[in-house]
């Protein structure tokens, strides 16, 4: 059993298109990397919540998690919310946190 997981952490939204888009993205990553287990979790508004996923992963015997914030900037969620929720993860998990996706000149150009 592969004992590591890529955990995509998204903000969440009341708009159902947000969660659908995030799930489609993680399915695409999984299809491109068949040996990589990819899970999705949300900070707000959508399920599953980050603590629920981390608890489930620990219960399944997963030991290594790379948390990838699906955020475009290093704003409050990246600086405070995600580190706080990851600190409360089960002790059995070794969690590494990747950097946010931006700011990227390409993303900034797309926004403009």
């Amino acid at each position: 059993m592969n004992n590591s997981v890529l955990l995509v952490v998204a903000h969440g939204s009341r708009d159902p298109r947000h969660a659908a888009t995030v799930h489609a993205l993680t399915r695409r990553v999984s299809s491109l990397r068949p040996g990589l287990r990819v899970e999705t979790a949300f900070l707000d508004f959508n399920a599953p919540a980050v603590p629920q996923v981390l608890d489930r992963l620990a219960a399944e015997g997963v030991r290594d998690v790379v948390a990838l914030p699906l955020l475009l900037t290093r704003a409050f969620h990246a600086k405070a919310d995600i580190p706080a929720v990851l600190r409360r993860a089960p002790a059995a998990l070794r969690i590494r946190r990747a950097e946010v996706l931006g700011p990227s000149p390409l993303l900034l150009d797309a926004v403009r």
Side-chain angles (χ1 to χ4, degrees), residues 37-54:
R37 180 173 173 186
V38 182
E39 295 282 340
T40 306
F42 297 91
L43 292 172
D44 290 313
F45 305 114
N46 302 105
V50 177
Q52 293 168 323
V53 174
L54 294 172

Side-chain angles (χ1 to χ4, degrees), residues 39-106:
E39 295 282 340
T40 306
F42 297 91
L43 292 172
D44 290 313
F45 305 114
N46 302 105
V50 177
Q52 293 168 323
V53 174
L54 294 172
D55 288 346
R56 178 173 49 80
L57 293 174
E60 291 175 7
V62 169
R63 292 297 166 249
D64 294 304
V65 175
V66 175
L68 173 62
L70 195 59
L71 302 171
L72 301 180
T73 66
R74 287 203 39 79
F76 186 78
H77 292 299
K79 293 179 183 177
D81 291 340
I82 291 176
V85 74
L86 296 178
R87 277 193 300 273
R88 294 189 303 270
L93 295 175
R94 289 182 297 269
I95 300 177
R96 290 177 289 149
R97 183 170 38 110
E99 290 297 320
V100 298
L101 300 176
S104 159
L106 296 173

